[in-house]
Amino acid sequence: MGLHDDGTTGPGGSGAGAAAEEELAALALKILVAGGFGVGKTTLVGAVSEIRPLRTEELLSEAGELVDDTGGVDQKTTTTVAMDFGRITIRAGLSLYLFGTPGQDRFWFLWDELSQGALGAVVLADTRRLEDCFPAVDYFEHRRIPFVVAVNCFSGARSYASDEVARALDLEQGTPVVLCDARDKDSGKEVLIRLVEYAGRVHTARLLDAVGP
């Protein structure tokens, strides 16, 4: 098929449009978004995703009230029961596939599957319920998956400096702590960029250590 008016080619051709698509698809990285119940994981994925996010939310039930701690998130009416999925292009040739994990203990069996092949993770934290992100921090530290802690700055919550949060969570030295607004696309994108940069340094250092002198 010949050259189209827009400069692309049909089947059998290789115009500028096809080349651009190949460049955009050059590198796709898997990122997990984790944290406690009601911390804003679904909100973050939805805010930054350039596609309509896939959500697996269900209404909170009376049975769930017996096992889910809704203290501090009384307005929450739904919960993720499998995962959230979204995609964002950071720059030409680099896209991130985002997988939001469920926050409740009874869904943690899904984490092992979701973490396969992940470059790194974002652990969302709420300073009003900071202890809720301890399990996610422990999970990624024990599996040596690079992560950043993103403090979701809720209205009315007391503000803390990044180093204060790092000490409270007893993070390994060098683990980044960033402040964000999970509702804001630019803020969420900055968090993801910090993660990609940090995870890249960690994986490079591990590769050099494995090669040796």
Side-chain angles (χ1 to χ4, degrees):
M1 187 174 294
L3 186 69
H4 295 171
D5 291 339
D6 61 0
T8 63
T9 59
S14 56
E21 289 179 3
E22 289 178 3
E23 182 182 11
L24 284 174
L27 184 60
L29 304 175
K30 182 179 182 181
I31 302 295
L32 301 186
V33 180
F37 177 66
V39 77
K41 301 180 293 296
T42 298
T43 299
L44 176 65
V45 173
V48 301
S49 180
E50 62 197 17
I51 63 173
R52 184 176 180 179
L54 169 67
R55 292 173 174 167
T56 56
E57 289 193 308
E58 296 291 344
L59 291 174
L60 289 172
S61 64
E62 291 184 5
E65 292 177 358
L66 300 176
V67 291
D68 295 330
D69 179 11
T70 58
V73 286
D74 301 332
Q75 303 301 315
K76 186 172 176 60
T77 59
T78 60
T79 184
T80 299
V81 296
M83 67 175 184
D84 299 312
F85 174 77
R87 185 190 71 203
I88 179 174
T89 300
I90 298 297
R91 59 170 172 76
L94 176 59
S95 296
L96 305 182
Y97 290 109
L98 309 176
F99 293 81
T101 64
Q104 301 97 310
D105 299 11
R106 65 185 187 278
F107 294 124
W108 283 352
F109 68 92
L110 294 170
W111 286 33
D112 288 337
E113 292 293 333
L114 291 176
S115 64
Q116 291 295 320
L119 174 77
V122 174
V123 176
L124 272 177
D126 178 354
T127 56
R128 300 169 302 178
R129 296 161 47 119
L130 196 59
E131 67 280 2
D132 288 0
C133 70
F134 284 156
V137 169
D138 290 341
Y139 181 91
F140 296 123
E141 284 185 344
H142 290 158
R143 287 160 180 78
R144 303 183 72 232
I145 297 175
F147 68 94
V148 301
V149 173
V151 179
N152 194 7
C153 299
F154 287 91
S155 177
R158 179 181 172 183
S159 59
Y160 294 88
S162 297
D163 59 335
E164 292 180 291
V165 175
R167 286 196 300 271
L169 293 175
D170 193 25
L171 298 177
E172 294 180 353
Q173 186 174 7
T175 303
V177 177
V178 295
L179 307 181
C180 75
D181 182 345
R183 302 167 299 179
D184 183 76
K185 180 176 182 177
D186 291 336
S187 180
K189 186 175 181 179
E190 285 301 315
V191 170
L192 296 172
I193 291 173
R194 284 289 301 275
L195 171 62
V196 171
E197 292 174 344
Y198 173 64
R201 293 194 299 269
V202 170
H203 287 298
T204 299
R206 290 175 181 171
L207 180 61
L208 292 176
D209 287 342
V211 172

